[in-house]
Amino acid sequence: MCRLPSISLYIHIPWCLKKCGYCDFYSYVSQENIPEEKYVKHILKDFEQDLLKINNRKIHTIFIGGGTPSLLKIHSINKLILGIKKRNQIFHNTEISIEANPTKLEYQNFMYYKHIGINRLSLGIQTFNSSLLKQIERTYNQKKAISAIIEAKKYYDNLNLDLMYGLPHQLLEDALLDLKIAIQYNPSHISWYQFTIEPNTIFYKKNILLPHEDLIFQMFIEGEKLLKKSGYKKYEISSYSKIHYQCKHNLNYWNFGDYIGIGCSAHGKITQKNGQIIRTIKNKNINYFLNGNYLHSTHIVSEKEKIVEYFMNVLRLYKPIFKNHFSKMTNIHVNAIEKNIQIAKQEGFIIDHKNYWYITKKGKLFLNILLEIFLS
């Protein structure tokens, strides 16, 4: 019998007013009234079915994402939160996050989110440069972005700002100015990640050009210096926070914890008492979902997949990887990966201590190559 890890809850709201050209998340574009009352009802039924699989564990964190979850009316979000609490005795101090965009339609609701128990807000700013915002097809400008931050600060100590670097036509000074503006408003957390164009997106088909990789690397280096100087500690590849404000929900992912995923196309990972890990994928067809057909597929994770997925997550973190944590989370003895560890050590990617592994700077720079070692 294995000790079950902590478990989180991800709730997917699949609607957006507009699909951005670089977005590869699953979403429906809808300018009309969305069937939110019916959707919330079915989300809660989906939740009830997953609760049968988690062995009476309390929900550790909740994250409402999308899509654009803030498109839902306040009463719908309130009904959703109350429904979750009614069905699972969550912790008193559970981190409950919601994603929002900096438009007036959305930020006028920030006060109400706080009143219904949402205690962490994540604002998708991306950049403060109005010209660049237009190029990446966002529907607001710098003035609206700053207004949203000012409004959010009235109610939230735990505030994340999403920013991107390496945008089309972005200069080094543009990227650093974004960080300087964000830092000026003293958010507790900044997610600062490289802009990428994934296959099957509009930008990929248009062959949108990005800055040279040397310039992108310079943005990364100089940006990290600025964030560190301003009191933000890096704890993950693209996450920087003030003390005590790391995102607990994302940390659970990166530490290979369990999570339920409810709503259209949501993914889940659920460990069983025998150590078996089951991955779930919910139906991405909204009509099927609203007819009560929630589960699309399940997959039992093999031993090799466990090893790769474990390291794919924990290697993102800037901390030692304890050997007993690997065994506890995967139900696999460390001897099973001894040859892989030795190869990584010889390449200078890993320092192998008695009780833990530590990833070197070289290892962080060549994460994909390091992961390939665990694939072999």
Side-chain angles (χ1 to χ4, degrees):
M1 299 284 283
C2 84
R3 185 181 172 187
L4 296 175
S6 61
I7 192 158
S8 294
L9 170 64
Y10 173 74
I11 305 167
H12 191 72
I13 310 300
W15 291 282
C16 284
L17 289 176
K18 182 181 182 299
K19 184 86 168 177
C20 297
Y22 60 88
C23 179
D24 67 336
F25 290 111
Y26 183 75
S27 61
Y28 282 98
V29 176
S30 177
Q31 300 289 341
E32 302 172 359
N33 290 332
I34 59 180
E36 57 185 272
E37 186 174 339
K38 189 175 181 181
Y39 188 66
V40 169
K41 175 183 150 186
H42 281 281
I43 279 182
L44 293 173
K45 286 185 177 180
D46 185 14
F47 182 54
E48 288 172 0
Q49 291 188 7
D50 275 0
L51 284 178
L52 300 174
K53 305 169 187 172
I54 69 170
N55 291 290
N56 297 315
R57 280 177 281 176
K58 288 184 180 179
I59 297 298
H60 178 67
T61 64
I62 299 172
F63 195 100
I64 308 171
T68 309
S70 46
L71 285 180
L72 294 190
K73 295 181 177 67
I74 290 297
H75 72 83
S76 295
I77 296 177
N78 187 41
K79 187 175 181 181
L80 179 59
I81 298 294
L82 289 175
I84 295 298
K85 290 180 177 179
K86 181 180 178 181
R87 289 162 174 81
N88 184 272
Q89 191 181 358
I90 66 172
F91 294 100
H92 172 69
N93 61 344
T94 293
E95 177 189 273
I96 305 177
S97 305
I98 191 169
E99 291 179 330
N101 291 319
T103 64
K104 190 168 184 180
L105 174 68
E106 296 182 42
Y107 70 67
Q108 62 189 3
N109 291 328
F110 293 170
M111 176 180 68
Y112 300 105
Y113 293 157
K114 192 66 182 287
H115 287 167
I116 63 180
I118 295 172
N119 50 31
R120 183 176 184 273
L121 185 68
S122 183
L123 270 180
I125 302 294
Q126 316 313 352
T127 176
F128 290 100
N129 187 308
S130 295
S131 175
L132 291 178
L133 283 168
K134 191 172 183 180
Q135 287 185 49
I136 61 171
E137 301 181 353
R138 302 297 281 182
T139 58
Y140 50 88
N141 55 27
Q142 182 189 85
K143 184 178 178 180
K144 288 180 180 177
I146 290 174
S147 295
I149 295 171
I150 293 171
E151 186 68 14
K153 289 286 290 183
K154 293 178 184 177
Y155 311 105
Y156 285 92
D157 295 323
N158 201 351
L159 173 65
N160 170 63
L161 302 183
D162 274 347
L163 293 172
M164 298 190 293
Y165 65 93
L167 296 165
H169 308 295
Q170 190 178 39
L171 304 175
L172 174 62
E173 49 267 36
D174 296 327
L176 296 181
L177 181 58
D178 279 343
L179 285 176
K180 288 174 184 175
I181 294 172
I183 290 165
Q184 177 186 337
Y185 293 96
N186 197 34
S188 57
H189 192 287
I190 294 176
S191 298
W192 193 57
Y193 51 97
Q194 183 180 338
F195 179 83
T196 56
I197 298 176
E198 301 295 337
N200 301 318
T201 61
I202 296 169
F203 279 12
Y204 185 83
K205 293 170 184 174
K206 289 183 177 179
N207 198 27
I208 300 290
L209 295 178
L210 301 180
H212 191 275
E213 60 184 20
D214 290 342
L215 175 56
I216 292 174
F217 186 68
Q218 192 179 4
M219 291 175 184
F220 166 70
I221 295 297
E222 295 301 320
E224 284 215 329
K225 289 179 185 175
L226 178 57
L227 285 160
K228 184 177 180 180
K229 182 181 176 182
S230 304
Y232 291 89
K233 184 177 181 181
K234 182 174 188 175
Y235 68 96
E236 186 266 342
I237 288 174
S238 55
S239 300
Y240 306 78
S241 75
K242 298 290 183 74
I243 297 174
H244 306 308
Y245 284 102
Q246 295 178 341
C247 179
K248 294 176 184 177
H249 185 85
N250 286 342
L251 276 173
N252 189 51
Y253 289 149
W254 299 324
N255 279 303
F256 206 53
D258 279 0
Y259 52 94
I260 301 171
I262 60 174
C264 267
S265 80
H267 289 226
K269 169 188 172 283
I270 306 172
T271 303
Q272 306 299 296
K273 285 186 176 180
N274 62 2
Q276 188 179 75
I277 294 176
I278 298 173
R279 290 205 171 271
T280 62
I281 302 176
K282 299 303 169 63
N283 209 316
K284 69 177 182 179
N285 185 301
I286 188 66
N287 293 320
Y288 287 177
F289 191 88
L290 293 178
N291 280 322
N293 300 310
Y294 310 131
L295 186 63
H296 175 266
S297 62
T298 60
H299 171 69
I300 297 173
V301 181
S302 69
E303 185 166 300
K304 183 177 180 180
E305 288 171 328
K306 280 187 190 179
I307 294 169
V308 174
E309 289 182 15
Y310 175 84
F311 283 103
M312 193 179 292
N313 282 280
V314 299
L315 288 176
R316 296 177 66 99
L317 296 171
Y318 281 72
K319 68 172 189 176
I321 302 168
F322 287 93
K323 296 178 181 180
N324 61 359
H325 182 264
F326 167 79
S327 297
K328 183 178 81 171
M329 303 305 281
T330 62
N331 206 32
I332 298 170
H333 196 279
V334 291
N335 290 346
I337 57 169
E338 182 58 32
K339 289 182 180 179
N340 310 75
I341 293 295
Q342 289 306 313
I343 294 170
K345 185 178 173 182
Q346 289 167 14
E347 293 291 336
F349 295 152
I350 281 180
I351 298 171
D352 187 7
H353 290 272
K354 181 181 178 181
N355 297 319
Y356 63 88
W357 304 294
Y358 195 83
I359 312 306
T360 63
K361 282 188 176 180
K362 182 181 178 183
K364 288 294 184 188
L365 285 173
F366 296 98
L367 274 182
N368 287 340
I369 297 174
L370 177 53
L371 276 172
E372 285 175 9
I373 291 173
F374 291 105
L375 274 167
S376 62

